[in-house]
Amino acid sequence: MARTGHGGSPLHDLRWVGIGLAIAIASIVLVQTGCNTGSEKVVRDGRLQLTLREYSVEPRSIRMAAGPVRIEARNVGKLLHRVRIVSDDDKRGNRRSVFWQDKRQPPLRPGTSSVPATICLGPGRYRIISAQPGDEELGAVADLRVDGPAPTCRPLVGRKRAGSSGEDTGGGE
């Protein structure tokens, strides 16, 4: 019988390998299922309150009727954050349309709130992201589903981002 260096059988080592694999698989499942899950926030009064912190935007899943929405964001984290609404066609940020980013104000400092902005969104799927470099890749994302017929207000038109730099060519107020 082979010795393992621990004075025990080789099965003892295999048990630890199995436990390690089980922990790794459980961790991956928890991370994957934890992305943009939880209860869906339904916007009924035309007001959307966002909370930004390191690597998260809350609520993570939002549904609303097409039309005007008043957006206000609060930074409860320790880093700068900025809200951007983009199309949901490419979750890796490659040349997707930017629908809105409030260019009237600088990124939100920790402990501050944005000046509320009212925008009009048409039916579709969007993503609300923290537009600071690297935040989206680290999880600062919320899914936004806009339902219903075309709104009575004039919906924002998305503009393609200008290539790989990540800078947009417009689409903000």
Side-chain angles (χ1 to χ4, degrees):
M1 180 152 86
R3 307 275 310 170
T4 63
H6 299 294
S9 73
L11 292 178
H12 177 75
D13 289 340
L14 289 176
R15 278 187 239 139
W16 283 111
V17 169
I19 290 170
L21 283 173
I23 290 171
I25 290 169
S27 298
I28 291 169
V29 168
L30 284 174
V31 167
Q32 291 297 319
T33 59
C35 294
N36 291 9
T37 60
S39 62
E40 182 177 68
K41 164 74 173 161
V42 178
V43 175
R44 297 189 197 284
D45 62 357
R47 295 174 187 264
L48 176 57
Q49 297 278 343
L50 299 171
T51 302
L52 307 170
R53 63 174 47 89
E54 281 61 56
Y55 322 124
S56 74
V57 175
E58 294 174 9
R60 305 283 283 173
S61 180
I62 306 157
R63 187 167 46 98
M64 63 173 270
V69 61
R70 183 175 185 225
I71 299 174
E72 184 175 355
R74 177 148 179 83
N75 182 355
V76 299
K78 296 177 182 172
L79 303 175
L80 296 175
H81 294 286
R82 169 175 262 155
V83 176
R84 181 183 286 169
I85 298 177
V86 298
S87 59
D88 191 30
D89 55 3
D90 184 347
K91 295 186 175 18
R92 293 165 300 168
N94 294 327
R95 297 192 55 77
R96 104 182 124 190
S97 295
V98 175
F99 282 83
W100 179 78
Q101 176 175 309
D102 193 346
K103 295 180 181 177
R104 299 172 298 171
Q105 61 184 358
L108 296 175
R109 295 188 177 282
T112 63
S113 294
S114 65
V115 174
T118 301
I119 62 171
C120 182
L121 289 172
R125 292 190 178 270
Y126 304 88
R127 298 192 102 199
I128 299 173
I129 63 173
S130 173
Q132 294 301 104
D135 277 3
E136 181 181 8
E137 293 78 13
L138 294 170
V141 177
D143 293 321
L144 171 61
R145 189 178 93 199
V146 179
D147 297 324
T152 56
C153 56
R154 186 174 177 193
L156 295 174
V157 176
R159 294 190 174 93
K160 288 289 185 186
R161 294 192 344 181
S164 61
S165 69
E167 291 301 314
D168 65 90
T169 59
E173 292 184 357

